[in-house]
Amino acid sequence: MQAVFLYWDYLEEIIKEVNMRKILAFDLGSSSVRAILGIYEKEKLQCKEIHRFENQPVYENGKLCWNFPVLMKEVKKGIQIAGKVDSIGFDSWGADFGMLDESNSLLGLPVHYRDPRTEGMTDKVWKKIPEKRLFQMTGNQTYATNSLYQILACKEKEPETWNKVRRILHIPDLFHYLLTGIAVCERTIASTAQILDPFTKEWNPQVMKTFGIPQSIFAPLVDSGTMVGSYEGAAVTAVAGHDTQSAGAALTKDPENTAFLNIGTWSLMGMDQKKPMISDEAFKLGISNEQSAFGEAQCLMNMTGMWLLQECRRQWAQQGMDYSFDQLEIQADEEDKDLCLIDVNSPEFIAPGNMPEKIQQYCERTGQKKPDTAGEITRCIYKSLVCEYRRNLECLEKGRKKRIAGLQILGGGVRSPRICQMTADMCGRTVTAGPAEATALGNILLQLMAMGEIRNRDEGRRLIRDMEKYAVYRPSEDGNAEKIYESYLGLLQQEKGRR
């Protein structure tokens, strides 16, 4: 009889394992990488971080690059830690890519979007296709970091390298290829390139022809949720390769009336749309368009995010002052005056290097009182960021010609009650905060959909809503909000006149 019970226990374990799905999501950020293991069983999802490592750029041949061999080594370590899984997916920042030669070997390390090699490229492009026309053709606003300008910089400044290029793969697709040997180009990450047609969702032949970019260097385009191949028995799934779109897949509030604000190194605010927004007004407002994880258009506002404070922390740590984010927020709260504001998107803040000094020099140049302490600088950054969030929210509303009722903050910003409340106060909207790991959750959700475990996005979003705890921040009576915002807009106007 004992043997019968033991055999039954064994069968139960087998049945449990058959009904359970283990999903591994790699969320590659520009400062750190997280491996999140999701366990889906009985229509419930549990997630835990199993591996995290820093993403430190390096210099190669005078260019700022991503240390891809280290990233690949750590990714394989994460896969090993996870053990047997059913599927693996990757998401990352947009625009950057690796270049392969005819033997399918990397032609050097992938270059970092903050490398200055694209300086001056935008003006050269506009001489052939005016900026507004390029926006209409691709849906993307012009940023020197876009893949188009990086490709043209390589073509012009490194012709020997360019002549060897046989394949270009964006960062998530590069991982897919190196794990499976199969090259694809997932559409959400492709839509960060400023080469994709926003209506056909195919490469724009006119852009390629104008700039002499052969379409053959790009892999076949695939939709989010496409199983590419396999690695050690696990499916390798092309999720929404652009981390913003994976995060957007985890939006749980009413998407018709709520914009998401994904706060990380960059801050991105967006909403799904049935059609791309490429009107003259959308162009003037700075609205960009990408492909969403579910095949729709997504209107986006791109802003600098916690990069400014990340760089300040790095500088202070080098000087022996290793502040945590919590410590800096406490110091900021102790400052009783709003001394200054900065244009968070100003060009001088793009490159790494002594960010506190750059902020101080900016304030002096614009006739403001220089922030001296870490608390004053942190307060300056936070106040400026939330002003920029409000400005972008108002731009989205003008473009949509419809009020946006609320915001859902996703990503690392969720962990800061201070930034969440300041955003609610400045924007005058209710803010729902969560999930903090929205990008990884969206990544996992898309893998489960690819496996047929989840039928559609609504079912997936309900799954996330049921497993997550959310904080709600309502606008308080902040009498200084309007005054600070007016000062911010005045500063932007002043800077626009100077440029």
Side-chain angles (χ1 to χ4, degrees):
M1 183 65 72
Q2 181 68 20
V4 172
F5 279 115
L6 287 174
Y7 180 66
W8 180 254
D9 290 342
Y10 174 68
L11 283 177
E12 282 190 319
E13 286 299 313
I14 292 176
I15 293 169
K16 181 179 179 181
E17 187 169 330
V18 167
N19 292 331
M20 181 177 69
R21 292 289 180 261
K22 293 176 70 178
I23 309 297
L24 183 58
F26 284 96
D27 176 21
L28 291 98
S30 56
S31 59
S32 67
V33 179
R34 293 160 297 283
I36 307 293
L37 182 64
I39 297 176
Y40 180 69
E41 185 180 15
K42 296 180 180 178
E43 299 184 351
K44 291 185 179 181
L45 179 64
Q46 293 181 321
C47 297
K48 64 176 179 178
E49 181 183 298
I50 61 168
H51 189 41
R52 177 188 287 257
F53 51 96
E54 290 188 354
N55 186 4
Q56 291 287 351
V58 294
Y59 281 92
E60 181 183 68
N61 299 325
K63 297 189 294 292
L64 187 65
C65 299
W66 299 106
N67 196 342
F68 201 81
V70 169
L71 292 178
M72 195 68 197
K73 177 183 176 182
E74 294 293 339
V75 160
K76 288 186 175 180
K77 183 178 178 180
I79 294 173
Q80 185 179 17
I81 293 170
K84 187 177 183 298
V85 297
D86 296 290
S87 180
I88 304 169
F90 297 86
D91 65 74
S92 82
W93 63 95
D96 287 350
F97 50 83
M99 301 185 296
L100 306 178
D101 61 17
E102 61 184 8
S103 65
N104 294 319
S105 299
L106 271 174
L107 285 162
L109 298 177
V111 180
H112 196 299
Y113 60 83
R114 293 190 189 275
D115 185 80
R117 66 176 177 161
T118 57
E119 286 181 4
M121 295 308 302
T122 55
D123 291 336
K124 293 179 181 180
V125 165
W126 296 341
K127 287 178 181 178
K128 294 185 177 181
I129 302 180
E131 183 182 10
K132 184 165 74 172
R133 176 59 183 149
L134 187 60
F135 168 73
Q136 294 167 341
M137 294 168 69
T138 65
N140 296 142
Q141 293 285 341
T142 290
Y143 302 100
T145 55
N146 290 350
S147 309
L148 174 62
Y149 306 102
Q150 296 198 51
I151 290 170
L152 296 179
C154 177
K155 184 180 178 185
E156 178 182 301
K157 300 176 182 180
E158 302 172 75
E160 291 185 4
T161 299
W162 175 254
N163 290 334
K164 296 177 183 177
V165 175
R166 295 296 178 269
R167 180 73 76 199
I168 283 179
L169 293 171
H170 286 96
I171 298 299
D173 299 322
L174 187 56
F175 281 104
H176 300 152
Y177 176 74
L178 293 177
L179 291 179
T180 69
I182 299 172
V184 299
C185 186
E186 188 275 327
R187 278 191 167 85
T188 69
I189 200 74
S191 70
T192 68
Q194 205 169 11
I195 306 175
L196 199 73
D197 187 304
F199 294 98
T200 66
K201 304 174 188 177
E202 302 291 337
W203 297 115
N204 190 303
Q206 187 178 345
V207 173
M208 290 198 169
K209 182 179 179 180
T210 299
F211 299 109
I213 303 172
Q215 187 167 329
S216 61
I217 67 174
F218 292 103
L221 287 159
V222 298
D223 293 331
S224 304
T226 298
M227 289 186 177
V228 177
S230 64
Y231 178 75
E232 295 189 350
V236 175
T237 304
V239 297
H242 191 200
D243 51 12
T244 298
Q245 303 308 333
S246 273
L251 179 70
T252 54
K253 295 293 288 183
D254 174 15
E256 290 293 320
N257 299 299
T258 303
F260 71 80
L261 174 59
N262 191 20
I263 302 178
T265 300
W266 292 87
S267 291
L268 295 104
M269 183 182 294
M271 297 186 78
D272 288 351
Q273 294 283 124
K274 292 182 179 179
K275 294 181 180 180
M277 296 174 62
I278 60 166
S279 64
D280 288 353
E281 183 179 35
F283 171 69
K284 291 177 183 177
L285 290 169
I287 295 173
S288 201
N289 298 270
E290 290 184 12
Q291 297 297 314
S292 81
F294 303 111
E296 299 171 322
Q298 188 176 90
C299 55
L300 280 173
M301 304 297 296
N302 293 274
M303 303 157 273
T304 292
M306 298 307 289
W307 161 255
L308 297 168
L309 195 54
Q310 289 167 355
E311 280 294 286
C312 285
R313 287 183 69 229
R314 189 168 68 86
Q315 182 65 33
W316 288 325
Q318 289 176 359
Q319 297 170 354
M321 299 174 288
D322 196 4
Y323 299 120
S324 68
F325 283 104
D326 288 342
Q327 287 173 326
L328 289 171
E329 288 192 5
I330 291 170
Q331 291 183 42
D333 284 341
E334 290 172 351
E335 302 296 337
D336 59 356
K337 292 183 179 179
D338 298 307
L339 298 173
C340 53
L341 295 165
I342 57 173
D343 175 1
V344 296
N345 298 313
S346 191
E348 59 255 61
F349 302 134
I350 293 176
N354 206 333
M355 194 61 71
E357 184 177 274
K358 289 180 182 180
I359 290 172
Q360 289 170 332
Q361 289 175 348
Y362 179 96
C363 293
E364 287 185 317
R365 176 174 62 75
T366 53
Q368 303 178 83
K369 186 174 173 36
K370 181 182 72 172
D372 291 317
T373 67
E376 289 175 348
I377 291 173
T378 301
R379 189 177 182 89
C380 170
I381 291 171
Y382 274 21
K383 287 288 184 181
S384 302
L385 279 175
V386 297
C387 284
E388 183 65 6
Y389 296 160
R390 174 171 168 177
R391 190 187 72 81
N392 281 268
L393 180 65
E394 291 177 352
C395 287
L396 274 182
E397 287 184 324
K398 288 177 183 177
R400 297 179 76 243
K401 295 179 172 56
K402 182 179 178 182
R403 178 176 168 80
I404 297 171
L407 281 170
Q408 182 171 354
I409 293 182
L410 309 171
V414 168
R415 298 187 179 96
S416 170
R418 183 61 177 151
I419 198 76
C420 293
Q421 186 62 58
M422 289 175 68
T423 301
D425 294 343
M426 182 58 68
C427 295
R429 315 296 159 91
T430 297
V431 167
T432 302
E437 293 292 351
T439 307
L441 286 171
N443 181 321
I444 291 169
L445 167 64
L446 290 163
Q447 292 187 65
L448 287 170
M449 288 178 66
M451 296 173 66
E453 295 292 334
I454 294 175
R455 288 171 295 182
N456 53 50
R457 63 180 170 183
D458 291 336
E459 186 176 307
R461 283 170 169 169
R462 281 197 300 272
L463 179 71
I464 293 173
R465 190 163 51 240
D466 290 344
M467 68 174 284
E468 285 289 318
K469 293 181 180 179
Y470 299 87
V472 176
Y473 299 86
R474 292 181 173 81
S476 60
E477 295 296 327
D478 185 352
N480 290 325
E482 289 301 319
K483 182 179 179 181
I484 292 170
Y485 186 56
E486 288 175 9
S487 296
Y488 183 74
L489 294 180
L491 175 66
L492 298 189
Q493 192 63 35
Q494 173 186 324
E495 289 289 272
K496 182 179 178 181
R498 183 182 69 86
R499 295 183 189 128

